[in-house]
Amino acid sequence: MAQIIKAIRGTRDLLPAETALWNRVERTAREVFARYNFGEIRTPVLEATELFARGVGEETDIVSKEMFTWEDRARAASEKPQSLTLRPENTAGVVRAYIEHKLHDTGQLQKLYYIGPQFRRERPQKGRYRQFFQIGAEVIGPASSGSESPLRDAEVLEMLAALLDKLGIPRASAANEYKGWRLLLNSVGSSTDRPRYVAALREALAPVKDRMCPDNQRRADTNPLRVLDSKDEADQAIIDALPRIADYLDDASKQHFADVLATLDACGVPYTVNPRLVRGLDYYTRTTFEFTVDLGLGTQNALLGGGRYDGLSEMLGGPRAPGIGFAIGEDRLILTLLALAEAKAADEGEPAPAKIDAYIAPLSPAQNAAALALARILRGAGLQVEVGDGTFRLKKSFDAADRVARHIVILGEDEVTQQQATVKAFASGEQRKVEFHTLASTLRA
Ligand code: AMP
């Protein structure tokens, strides 16, 4: 029995005390995205395994070790069983939908956002889960819609800065000892620059890789770019001496990156160029970025990541459709906001918990029906209302009401006949009779 009353390792329940904050974050994200003319897309949690193998890349950690994948039984003897995967990320699914629904044929730039669960078989720890949530967005379209423009990269980054600002996460600066968010940026070049750079990396790694940790030895063979984001202390000197991608960018990619930076400067978005930022997914081209925060996340300090993926649609068998997108780790965003709230409470004291408008206390079971009918009217008027039960003693009703509500509304036999409730406001201690028909405005005041 013990196993079935415990959430699976790496997954968790979010109770109302937490979901209130999750909802506020999601509401804010929706508001900000709408201002930038993004519309919501919802894609299935289940996709064909092949989508990620082709889109994200066979050699990535995600596809090679972290996916929840299984063979689905064939429905008919003539059918082959299909390999299915719980989506580990959402960009491949969005691009699949872009191709499937022929959004390309509109000729328009598509600005799409999503909010939802993703699944990776990772070693669970604080800020890292097997079911986690991402809030992400993608800008994709035919090149004629301006989808390749550095303006789009800068707009997405400026939107992220606006969202984090609106959520109250400070920017890292000398004024706050560099606690807050920080944008790290790099260009990994075009689909022709990258293979040239990867070849140079392989060549530079060949004579030194035997001195590296086993993970990096393996990466040097399978996916040399991944060596660059290795955190292994002992390997850092070797990694620092490896060739830099900036030296392998063609003129068009260099210009594109310079334009992104100039636009960010014009918008007042601070950034740091990090030549080692290559990110773990194969589909990235040109601009790649990460926002880190040093509030509440410990070692898992990557709050969000993203980049340009000009070749992804074609990799999936679709038309040429350059694009750029990002995914925010919502769980990590929440941890950051909780750490901020905790720091604020330490400075200013705990904020009072939010209370609902009224708690209706019927004095006996005979008033239960009238209590629920009155609650229906008040809720219809937009008030937040809880209803007690006529079997409760008055003292129990008062205690219950005081915990959750600003007012107690007492309903006895007289109150129901006279259509007047006895109302007490807990803050002032004032108690008076209020006609049912003016109750909503009294409670709102
Ligand atoms: P990625 O899709 O790997 O580029 O990740 C984008 C963001 O999703 C990261 O910056 C994290 O904030 C978040 N993320 C990725 N994997 C996990 C995980 N296992 N648990 C929680 N958040 C995650």
Side-chain angles (χ1 to χ4, degrees), residues 91 94-96 98-99 102-105 108-110 138-148 283 285 308-324:
T91 301
V94 170
V95 176
R96 189 226 4 98
Y98 175 87
I99 301 167
K102 301 191 168 43
L103 299 182
H104 198 76
D105 296 354
Q108 305 290 313
L109 192 66
Q110 302 293 320
E138 316 292 346
V139 181
I140 179 170
S144 60
S145 68
S147 55
E148 250 172 319
Y283 52 59
T285 50
R308 185 163 269 292
Y309 45 82
D310 292 344
L312 179 56
S313 171
E314 287 152 296
M315 279 160 77
L316 298 177
R320 175 165 160 69
I324 178 158

Side-chain angles (χ1 to χ4, degrees), residues 120 122 127-129 132 134 279 281 302-305 327 329 332:
R120 293 182 197 173
E122 295 203 81
R128 201 204 270 159
Y129 311 98
F132 59 101
Q134 287 185 333
R279 310 203 19 84
L281 287 66
L303 178 64
L304 71 93
R332 296 188 190 177

Side-chain angles (χ1 to χ4, degrees), residues 120-167:
R120 293 182 197 173
R121 189 184 279 109
E122 295 203 81
R123 196 162 43 79
Q125 62 186 83
K126 184 178 179 190
R128 201 204 270 159
Y129 311 98
R130 291 182 161 191
Q131 172 173 330
F132 59 101
F133 289 78
Q134 287 185 333
I135 301 179
E138 316 292 346
V139 181
I140 179 170
S144 60
S145 68
S147 55
E148 250 172 319
S149 167
L151 169 88
R152 303 272 71 111
D153 307 45
E155 185 185 39
V156 157
L157 292 166
E158 191 275 320
M159 176 168 84
L160 281 165
L163 174 60
L164 298 182
D165 290 345
K166 193 155 195 256
L167 287 169

Side-chain angles (χ1 to χ4, degrees), residues 140-437:
I140 179 170
S144 60
S145 68
S147 55
E148 250 172 319
S149 167
L151 169 88
R152 303 272 71 111
D153 307 45
E155 185 185 39
V156 157
L157 292 166
E158 191 275 320
M159 176 168 84
L160 281 165
L163 174 60
L164 298 182
D165 290 345
K166 193 155 195 256
L167 287 169
I169 301 176
R171 298 174 174 204
S173 78
N176 56 15
E177 296 167 341
Y178 295 99
K179 284 205 179 306
W181 65 258
R182 201 186 294 265
L183 161 59
L184 307 173
L185 203 58
N186 191 24
S187 175
V188 294
S190 67
S191 54
T192 47
D193 301 336
R194 233 161 65 146
R196 281 195 300 128
Y197 177 60
V198 171
L201 263 187
R202 275 189 207 283
E203 201 171 307
L205 281 165
V208 292
K209 70 178 183 199
D210 291 348
R211 288 188 271 137
M212 302 185 96
C213 72
D215 263 353
N216 280 336
Q217 289 189 19
R218 182 177 48 78
R219 290 176 184 143
D221 293 328
T222 58
N223 194 354
L225 282 175
R226 290 301 316 278
V227 173
L228 298 178
D229 43 43
S230 159
K231 304 272 186 296
D232 190 284
E233 280 297 326
D235 289 353
Q236 295 307 310
I238 297 179
I239 296 170
D240 283 339
L242 291 171
R244 299 195 158 201
I245 184 118
D247 299 325
Y248 291 80
L249 301 188
D250 62 19
D251 288 344
S253 290
K254 272 190 197 143
Q255 187 59 49
H256 191 277
F257 194 47
D259 289 346
V260 174
L261 301 185
T263 315
L264 289 177
D265 289 334
C267 296
V269 176
Y271 58 83
T272 308
V273 174
N274 176 355
R276 275 175 53 176
L277 184 80
V278 289
R279 310 203 19 84
L281 287 66
D282 273 2
Y283 52 59
Y284 286 120
T285 50
R286 292 194 169 168
T287 314
T288 55
F289 56 87
E290 208 165 84
F291 281 64
T292 59
V293 277
D294 40 20
L295 293 158
L297 290 187
T299 52
Q300 303 298 316
N301 72 344
L303 178 64
L304 71 93
R308 185 163 269 292
Y309 45 82
D310 292 344
L312 179 56
S313 171
E314 287 152 296
M315 279 160 77
L316 298 177
R320 175 165 160 69
I324 178 158
F326 62 81
I328 308 172
E330 189 176 2
D331 308 73
R332 296 188 190 177
L333 186 54
I334 298 284
L335 284 171
T336 305
L337 292 171
L338 289 174
L340 274 171
E342 209 171 287
K344 198 158 172 236
D347 284 348
E348 301 168 12
E350 289 287 339
K355 289 194 158 186
I356 62 171
D357 298 299
Y359 180 100
I360 302 180
L363 286 186
S364 81
Q367 284 87 46
N368 271 358
L372 205 60
L374 184 60
R376 176 179 156 80
I377 293 169
L378 298 176
R379 288 167 175 159
L383 296 173
Q384 285 183 291
V385 177
E386 183 53 282
V387 186
D389 190 277
T391 59
F392 294 173
R393 297 250 193 96
L394 197 56
K395 163 96 172 64
K396 177 170 170 176
S397 291
F398 263 93
D399 290 347
D402 198 14
R403 266 198 303 276
V404 300
R406 293 187 298 114
H407 303 90
I408 183 166
V409 175
I410 298 162
L411 274 195
E413 205 178 324
D414 290 352
E415 279 86 355
V416 174
T417 354
Q418 292 161 14
Q419 297 284 289
Q420 281 189 340
T422 302
V423 177
K424 179 172 175 175
F426 288 112
S428 63
E430 187 195 354
Q431 182 165 321
R432 62 190 168 113
K433 290 263 166 135
V434 181
E435 304 268 355
F436 280 4
H437 67 90

